[in-house]
Amino acid sequence: MQNSEALALTAALLSAAADLTQRINDRVVARGFEVRPAHGFAFTRLAPDGATVTDLAVYLGVTKQAASQLVEELVRKGYVERRPHPGDARARLVVLTEQGWACTRAAEEAAAEAVREWVDVLGESEVRALTDRLGRIAPYGPLRPIW
């Protein structure tokens, strides 16, 4: 693969990811939730069993202070709450509230709608193949949102 082809692939993947993130967020907001993309990335780490602020910071690739600020914002908006950590008396577990779960369900619906648009363009078999191929090369682990 030539450098120019690699650059074109890089640009296409980054553009698709950014567009998908924005379309999902726009649809979640349209459903009445006051969120931004970073919240959605945090929700993926908090579901299903919660996480500490430190866990969230590592997952998002931010400082503990930035993760703490994000958690404070989500607490104020009613999406998460802090609970005693079952395994560590010194730590607090951040968990989704019912409103946080409702927002997560709205994001799942929005993601399905966005992917259906890809199916309309590429066809279902091509989207399945794309999913398989990206799954083989995409690293499992932290999501690095653009703040």
Side-chain angles (χ1 to χ4, degrees), residues 76-137:
R76 280 193 313 274
K77 291 181 177 190
Y79 294 114
V80 302
E81 64 185 15
R82 291 184 185 89
R83 293 185 183 161
H85 193 290
D88 184 350
R90 299 167 298 151
R92 304 282 290 168
L93 198 60
V94 181
V95 298
L96 295 174
T97 62
E98 184 49 46
Q99 183 178 351
W101 283 110
C103 186
T104 298
R105 289 188 296 274
E108 289 172 358
E109 293 168 4
E113 291 168 5
V115 170
R116 276 195 293 277
E117 292 173 8
W118 288 1
V119 171
D120 292 344
V121 173
L122 300 174
E124 190 165 337
S125 64
E126 288 294 320
V127 172
R128 287 186 192 279
L130 177 63
T131 302
D132 175 65
R133 287 174 178 89
L134 288 174
R136 291 176 16 211
I137 61 171

Side-chain angles (χ1 to χ4, degrees), residues 12-87:
L13 285 171
L14 290 172
S15 179
D19 179 66
L20 183 62
T21 299
Q22 191 60 55
R23 287 192 297 141
I24 291 169
N25 193 77
D26 289 349
R27 289 174 174 164
V28 171
V29 169
R31 286 171 164 86
F33 297 95
E34 185 186 343
V35 292
R36 52 192 172 92
H39 298 149
F41 288 111
F43 288 4
T44 63
R45 177 60 184 92
L46 297 175
D49 300 318
T52 64
V53 169
T54 300
D55 295 335
L56 190 58
V58 169
Y59 184 77
L60 296 175
V62 300
T63 65
K64 187 176 173 186
Q65 292 78 12
S68 292
Q69 290 174 352
L70 182 66
V71 167
E72 278 301 317
E73 180 181 1
L74 293 173
V75 167
R76 280 193 313 274
K77 291 181 177 190
Y79 294 114
V80 302
E81 64 185 15
R82 291 184 185 89
R83 293 185 183 161
H85 193 290

